């Protein structure tokens, strides 16, 4: 019998630009793709290719310096156009100019032992898609999780129902669970939405959640099922990655394609497309951006946790969504951020739009100035974990390791603070602070 958990803290943002259909409209093969190491925290990249080199589908682009088996592979056939470096020669991205548009499944040998399973997952690039808590990083090569948590729901604003992804089917999920069960002596939990069409999966415990964001975050699900404590390790992943693992075990192949929702109020047509990881965003959305004349912000991901890439950017991990909204740099409204217009979106009941519940069209403006943290407990209203988020943030800023540990730093990831950051009247970059705190803790402990 499935367990049901109803989260009472959270918020679903009512935004314009949602999907009118969940059917895949087209297959877009981009002119360029980019592999971006920053999408994989904890992964220290070392290049396996050089500029001008020809690469094939599934060929390693870079590997981890600590565990050379952990790789990130090319989803396309093409030529390395450029290797972009930043400060201290940090690898920012590897850009590949695509060649043949035939995106064929990548074949790998089928593993039969835990050691072989680890090796193949690392070499196929799937290990880099997993996340380990504490620290919200790619699992270390010898990591043994207490439990594994899979989320089969995406509650982010305007997101596509994850169950609609073309890769997900029951047989792949079953094979994926069977594979991961070799790597843990604990439980495998799959979090699904209430009324999910997914049947029970052998070897996993199905847990239903109401669809109040951030219920779709794997870390939030883990915190409400079996929280991680100091000295313990858990893994998290989404059902799409689980299905890819299952496909590898069932068919010996992995499809490099991904299903992406193109959303946002500045698109003429919102739709679902198939493409490849790291696709050039111009190829995905440029032809569908409205001719309103207003500057737009192109976000790889959703409006809460996505990366503002611009039209010249690339599709970033987890490769599920692109959102296009007004930039707001040309906005001219009476009273600015204090406007009482019913079109103004806010969590505060001081704004009358709060009571209409319609689809709002927000822009990317900050809507107020940054200031000192106000201890109003507003973070707690949108944080469905048994943690005091305001005090944890203060401990992270102070780099007080003892307090960070006592207040639950091992359970959290930056995305868990996204709603609190949205509602924060102090305009503090909570996700950036948490990421820095996790990296600092990992370097010191």
């Amino acid at each position: 019998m499935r367990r049901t958990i109803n989260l009472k803290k959270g918020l679903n943002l009512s935004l314009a630009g949602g999907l009118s259909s969940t059917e895949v409209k087209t297959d877009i093969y981009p002119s360029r793709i980019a592999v971006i190491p920053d999408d994989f925290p904890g992964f220290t990249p070392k290049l396996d290719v050089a500029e001008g080199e020809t690469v094939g589908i599934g060929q390693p682009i870079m590997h981890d310096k600590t565990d050379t088996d952990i790789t990130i592979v090319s989803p396309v056939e093409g030529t390395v156009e450029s290797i972009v470096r930043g400060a201290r020669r940090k690898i920012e991205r590897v850009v590949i100019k695509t060649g043949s548009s035939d995106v064929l499944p990548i074949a790998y040998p089928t593993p039969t032992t835990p050691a072989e399973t680890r090796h193949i997952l690392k070499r196929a690039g799937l290990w880099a898609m997993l996340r380990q808590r504490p620290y919200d990083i790619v699992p270390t090569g010898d990591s043994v999780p207490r439990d594994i948590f899979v989320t089969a729901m995406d509650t982010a604003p305007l997101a596509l129902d994850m169950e609609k992804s073309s890769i997900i089917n029951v047989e792949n999920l079953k094979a994926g669970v069977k594979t991961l069960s070799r790597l843990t002596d604990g439980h495998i939990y799959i979090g699904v939405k209430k009324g999910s069409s997914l049947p029970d999966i052998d070897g996993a415990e199905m847990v239903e959640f109401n669809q109040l964001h951030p219920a779709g975050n794997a870390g939030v699900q883990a915190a409400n099922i079996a929280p991680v404590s100091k000295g313990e390790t858990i893994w998290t992943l989404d059902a799409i990655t689980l299905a890819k693992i299952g496909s590898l075990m069932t068919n010996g192949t992995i499809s490099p394609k991904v299903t992406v929702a193109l959303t946002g109020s500045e698109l003429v047509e919102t739709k679902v497309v198939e493409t490849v990881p790291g696709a050039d965003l111009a190829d995905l959305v440029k032809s569908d951006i409205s001719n309103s004349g207003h500057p737009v912000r192109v976000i790889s991901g959703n409006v809460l946790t996505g990366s503002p890439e611009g039209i010249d950017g690339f599709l970033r991990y987890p490769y599920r969504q692109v959102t296009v909204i007004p930039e707001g740099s040309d906005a001219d409204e009476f009273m600015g951020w204090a406007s009482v217009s019913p079109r103004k979106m806010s969590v505060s009941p001081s704004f009358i739009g709060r009571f209409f519940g319609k689809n709002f069209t927000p822009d990317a403006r900050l809507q107020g100035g940054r200031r000192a943290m106000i201890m109003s407990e507003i973070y707690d209203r949108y944080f469905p974990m048994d943690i005091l988020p305001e005090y944890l943030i203060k401990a992270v800023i102070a780099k007080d390791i003892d307090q960070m540990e006592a207040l639950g730093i091992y359970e959290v990831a930056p995305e868990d603070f996204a709603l609190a950051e949205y509602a924060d009247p102090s305009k503090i970059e909570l996700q950036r602070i948490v990421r820095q705190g996790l990296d600092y803790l990992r370097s010191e402990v």
Side-chain angles (χ1 to χ4, degrees):
M1 182 176 180
R2 296 188 178 189
R3 194 192 325 181
T4 300
I5 296 177
N6 289 312
L7 301 184
K8 297 181 179 179
K9 295 180 179 180
L11 179 69
N12 289 329
L13 301 185
S14 185
L15 304 182
L19 294 168
S20 57
S21 170
T22 59
E23 298 298 321
V24 176
K25 288 290 184 70
T26 185
D27 193 330
I28 299 178
Y29 188 72
S31 59
R32 301 185 305 161
I33 68 102
V35 176
I36 302 175
D38 280 352
D39 288 342
F40 309 95
F43 179 92
T44 306
K46 188 172 179 61
L47 287 172
D48 293 318
V49 296
E51 287 188 2
E53 183 176 334
T54 299
V55 298
I57 298 176
Q59 179 178 333
I61 300 300
M62 56 188 72
H63 65 266
D64 183 61
K65 287 183 178 179
T66 305
D67 187 334
T68 56
D69 279 348
I70 302 177
T71 62
I72 299 174
V73 303
S74 173
V76 297
E77 175 187 310
T79 304
V80 179
E81 181 178 274
S82 62
I83 296 172
V84 181
R85 294 182 181 270
R88 303 178 66 179
R89 294 188 57 76
K90 174 186 175 183
I91 302 170
E92 300 285 352
R93 61 183 179 271
V94 177
V95 180
I96 299 173
K97 184 177 181 180
T98 58
S100 170
S101 59
D102 293 328
V103 183
L104 302 174
I106 310 167
Y108 294 95
T110 302
T112 57
T113 67
E116 290 177 355
T117 300
R118 284 177 177 269
H119 177 73
I120 293 298
L121 291 181
K122 292 174 183 179
R123 298 299 292 177
L126 292 174
W127 190 274
M129 306 298 177
L130 309 176
R131 291 294 176 267
Q132 168 189 306
R133 298 202 187 191
Y135 311 126
D136 186 43
I137 59 173
V138 174
T140 55
D142 57 354
S143 172
V144 179
R146 184 206 69 194
D147 297 310
I148 298 175
F149 297 85
V150 182
T151 178
M153 54 191 292
D154 191 344
T155 54
L158 306 181
L160 172 68
D161 183 348
M162 199 180 297
E163 294 181 18
K164 302 297 183 181
S165 175
S166 59
I167 187 66
I168 290 182
N169 65 58
V170 176
E171 293 307 313
N172 281 345
L173 293 178
K174 287 181 178 179
V177 168
K178 184 178 179 180
T179 302
L180 292 182
S181 66
R182 300 174 187 166
L183 306 181
T184 179
D185 293 328
H187 294 86
I188 297 176
Y189 299 94
I190 300 180
V192 298
K193 64 184 180 181
K194 277 189 174 181
S196 169
S197 60
L198 289 179
D200 291 348
I201 306 296
D202 293 340
E205 180 178 341
M206 311 292 283
V207 183
E208 292 190 345
F209 287 84
N210 57 328
Q211 296 184 65
L212 181 65
H213 189 64
N217 291 3
V220 169
Q221 295 176 8
N224 285 275
I225 297 171
V228 60
S229 301
K230 183 178 181 180
E232 297 178 334
T233 297
I234 63 171
W235 290 356
T236 63
L237 65 152
D238 60 30
I240 296 172
T241 303
L242 179 66
K244 285 181 179 288
I245 293 172
S247 175
L248 173 62
M249 300 305 137
T250 302
N251 309 312
T253 61
I254 302 174
S255 171
K257 290 187 177 183
V258 290
T259 304
V260 182
L262 307 181
T263 63
S265 60
E266 291 303 295
L267 292 182
V268 175
E269 180 188 13
T270 60
K271 56 188 175 183
V272 180
V273 302
E274 278 197 346
T275 186
V276 292
D280 190 329
L281 292 179
D283 292 327
L284 297 185
V285 299
K286 190 172 184 177
S287 62
D288 287 316
I289 294 178
S290 64
N291 296 318
S292 62
H294 301 297
V296 298
R297 176 166 295 193
V298 181
I299 303 168
S300 178
N302 62 73
V303 295
L304 294 175
T305 63
S307 172
E309 291 292 292
I311 195 63
D312 297 324
F314 298 90
L315 181 65
R316 304 284 295 270
Y317 179 84
Y319 316 123
R320 292 199 298 259
Q321 184 177 0
V322 177
T323 310
V324 185
I325 62 173
E327 185 67 52
S329 56
D330 61 341
D332 183 15
E333 59 184 350
F334 178 64
M335 296 179 66
W337 66 267
S339 168
V340 294
S341 167
R343 296 192 299 272
K344 178 69 69 175
M345 179 179 171
S346 176
V347 299
S348 171
S350 301
F351 293 80
I352 58 177
R354 174 76 172 82
F355 302 100
F356 286 88
K358 64 176 183 178
N359 291 335
F360 292 92
T361 307
D363 54 44
R365 287 177 295 162
L366 193 60
Q367 299 282 28
R370 292 186 174 91
R371 58 185 71 87
M373 182 187 292
I374 302 170
M375 299 295 286
S376 60
E377 298 185 354
I378 193 169
Y379 299 173
D380 192 56
R381 301 176 197 171
Y382 307 103
F383 201 84
M385 302 168 74
D386 189 19
I387 286 174
L388 300 173
E390 291 175 336
Y391 293 95
L392 176 56
I393 290 293
K394 290 177 68 117
V396 171
I397 294 172
K399 295 185 177 180
D400 187 333
I401 292 178
D402 290 339
Q403 280 293 333
M404 290 161 67
E405 291 180 337
L407 291 167
I409 188 69
Y410 292 120
E411 294 186 49
V412 301
E415 66 177 4
D416 300 328
F417 285 80
L419 267 180
E421 182 178 292
Y422 161 73
D424 184 15
S426 299
K427 311 300 179 183
I428 298 174
E429 296 180 56
L430 302 181
Q431 295 182 78
R432 178 182 59 82
I433 290 171
V434 172
R435 180 74 269 164
Q436 291 175 345
L438 292 169
D439 292 342
Y440 172 75
L441 187 66
R442 185 162 61 98
S443 68
E444 294 293 323
V445 174

